[in-house]
Amino acid sequence: MSLPVAIRLLGRLILTLLAVVGLAGLFLALVVVTDGARSGLAAWLTVLGAGIIAALWRGRGRTWPGRLWPFVPVVTAAALTASVCVPTVPTTRQYPPGLPFVATEHWSLSTGSRVAVYHYPPAGAPRRPTPLVYLHGGPVRSISVLDHRFLRLLAGQGYDVYAYEHPGGGRSDLLPMQQYTIARSVRDLAAFIDRLDKGPADVLGFSAGAIVLTRALATPDTAARVHRAIIAEPGPMDGPTALISGHQGRPSARGLAPAPTGARATHVPRYAVALGLVRLGLLPPDTGLITQAEGVNAFKAADLGSDTASAYCARDAGRIPTEDTAENFSFNAAASLRIQQTIKDSPSIAPGLSRSRTPAMLMIAECSSQTRQWQTSILAADPAIERTQYLPGVGHRMWNGLDDNNERAAAVITAFLQSQPSPLPNYPTRAGISAFLRDHR
């Protein structure tokens, strides 16, 4: 092959690649513009039509073989982008199977939510008269097997423990996307306690569940249903708090632990595009590209990436436990983002929280991946927080099954619920917030 011919072929190849990239980019732009209409087919057909017209125009005046070449990038781009339009998992909700160690009940709440409920009756003595309700993290995911083990531990100490998966997560029914709001989560908590019909309940809220609990304490009608509140490792409680940029706790295992293994939805073009564009805010959570149910079915534990490692101390990077089973894991990423956005869009709840009279305890982890000011903002605003417990040696996932971490967390919780002296000092205090932030950078 002569050099001039080789140069021409190389130039043609480069132009073909640029055309493929251009058509793929146009497809993504149209997916955004059309909101992924008809599973992305509206964008795909538009790009295909535009590509064919452009190929016919470029091939005009050429001999017959030469007319075919402009169609190469069109066919290539069409084949690549078609994978974004084809579901690879069921498009109707596939719920996790039942757990072997606890029965799954389904309760219809007065809010219209239908939630999966788990009950661990008191197994130890003395038996506590007040029910304990657990609000898990996520939001909008299944309660992990690791959490279930901790709930069994509390039940073994005499607590009548109830937990429910938030609507859209785990075995709970889906909601229309626009109904996923932090306000709805607070109303669901009130409705759940009413459904228990056992009077005011003690409530333990972890991570996203701690946000729900904090906002419940700022809502007088819901706060009246809470006997004592435990706010463990909360995220931002409202829009102004979410804007705070501060520092986190001691170094976590993020970047140190081995990368998670297993299947990932983000390795499939359809879900990589859909979840990525939703995450970037270029598509709404209720996009027409994938259904809510399909997104839940597709999302896998490995898609959380380094988020899991960030919940553990750096010293535990080589021994992070398996938090869940593949059969039990379920995460509604779109609904989660939707709820988080409603938190960011909400006004300050500090005025309402300042009027709280519900006895409360704040739990903070040494290696917390949460911004410290998210936690101390609650301490500063809520005068009814009676004690703060700074737990050494643990990350955001405070009860993690390692060493005696579960037992230490349970001891702190039990002491507060029973109004007994805590095994840990009251730290930080409200007056010592500035010193705490300075000393725990």
Side-chain angles (χ1 to χ4, degrees):
M1 180 184 300
S2 65
L3 182 60
V5 173
I7 292 175
R8 283 199 302 271
L9 288 176
L10 179 60
R12 182 172 291 183
L13 178 60
I14 292 173
L15 290 174
T16 299
L17 291 175
L18 289 175
V20 171
V21 171
L23 288 170
L26 177 61
F27 169 75
L28 292 177
L30 288 174
V31 165
V32 173
V33 170
T34 62
D35 188 19
R38 297 187 179 277
S39 197
L41 284 174
W44 187 82
L45 290 172
T46 301
V47 170
L48 179 62
I52 291 174
I53 292 172
L56 290 172
W57 182 82
R58 288 183 60 201
R60 73 191 190 287
R62 298 184 182 183
T63 60
W64 177 243
R67 292 181 182 180
L68 295 179
W69 186 258
F71 285 91
V72 172
V74 178
V75 172
T76 304
L80 291 174
T81 54
S83 61
V84 177
C85 306
V86 181
T88 61
V89 299
T91 56
T92 57
R93 183 71 177 99
Q94 305 296 299
Y95 292 92
L99 293 164
F101 47 79
V102 64
T104 304
E105 302 178 48
H106 285 90
W107 291 6
S108 295
L109 306 181
S110 60
T111 56
S113 299
R114 187 171 182 268
V115 296
V117 180
Y118 309 94
H119 180 210
Y120 291 99
R127 298 198 170 192
R128 319 295 182 179
T130 305
L132 174 61
V133 175
Y134 178 60
L135 298 177
H136 63 90
V140 202
R141 64 181 293 177
S142 54
I143 298 176
S144 71
V145 170
L146 206 60
D147 276 343
H148 278 289
R149 290 172 186 159
F150 186 64
L151 299 181
R152 291 204 301 270
L153 173 62
L154 294 175
Q157 297 183 356
Y159 293 99
D160 192 17
V161 180
Y162 290 85
Y164 66 94
E165 287 166 327
H166 304 304
R171 297 163 185 82
S172 294
D173 286 5
L174 303 177
L175 293 175
M177 190 59 68
Q178 295 305 312
Q179 293 187 26
Y180 291 110
T181 66
I182 190 62
R184 172 63 171 264
S185 299
V186 172
R187 293 196 300 272
D188 281 339
L189 172 60
F192 184 82
I193 296 175
D194 287 346
R195 179 70 168 73
L196 276 178
D197 197 24
K198 294 187 177 183
D202 294 328
V203 182
L204 166 60
F206 166 66
S207 191
I211 301 174
V212 175
L213 178 55
T214 300
R215 296 181 69 97
L217 297 178
T219 309
D221 184 55
T222 306
R225 296 167 166 86
V226 180
H227 178 247
R228 296 179 80 82
I230 303 165
I231 305 167
E233 279 289 288
M237 62 182 179
D238 52 29
T241 308
L243 295 175
I244 296 176
S245 58
H247 49 269
Q248 301 173 348
R250 306 294 188 199
S252 76
R254 182 188 290 270
L256 301 175
T261 59
R264 295 185 184 220
T266 47
H267 286 172
V268 179
R270 177 172 174 81
Y271 307 113
V273 169
L275 296 173
L277 292 178
V278 170
R279 181 72 177 177
L280 291 172
L282 297 175
L283 285 179
D286 56 347
T287 174
L289 185 55
I290 62 172
T291 66
Q292 180 187 171
E294 184 186 351
V296 179
N297 294 338
F299 201 94
K300 305 300 181 185
D303 287 310
L304 293 174
S306 59
D307 284 356
T308 298
S310 70
Y312 293 83
C313 290
R315 66 179 73 98
D316 294 325
R319 58 170 193 157
I320 293 177
T322 301
E323 294 189 349
D324 214 347
T325 62
E327 295 77 17
N328 183 64
F329 178 83
S330 172
F331 183 52
N332 191 330
S336 179
L337 289 171
R338 163 75 183 161
I339 290 178
Q340 291 177 58
Q341 189 60 51
T342 65
I343 295 172
K344 294 175 183 178
D345 293 341
S346 69
S348 172
I349 65 166
L353 195 57
S354 68
R355 294 188 288 272
S356 174
R357 296 296 177 266
T358 304
M361 176 176 73
L362 177 64
M363 296 177 71
I364 301 175
E366 178 185 11
C367 309
S368 176
S369 57
Q370 306 290 73
T371 300
R372 290 296 195 199
Q373 285 85 345
W374 295 348
Q375 303 161 342
T376 56
S377 292
I378 296 174
L379 176 60
D382 187 351
I385 292 180
E386 297 179 349
R387 62 179 79 168
T388 305
Q389 302 288 265
Y390 176 81
L391 273 70
V394 295
H396 180 62
R397 172 66 73 172
M398 305 177 101
W399 36 89
N400 52 35
L402 298 175
D403 304 325
D404 63 344
N405 292 338
N406 283 18
E407 289 74 17
R408 290 195 297 129
V412 165
I413 291 169
T414 296
F416 172 70
L417 293 179
Q418 303 308 313
S419 299
Q420 297 173 349
S422 173
L424 296 175
N426 179 26
Y427 175 77
T429 63
R430 192 170 291 104
I433 289 176
S434 295
F436 173 75
L437 294 175
R438 183 184 63 246
D439 296 341
H440 292 271
R441 294 181 184 275

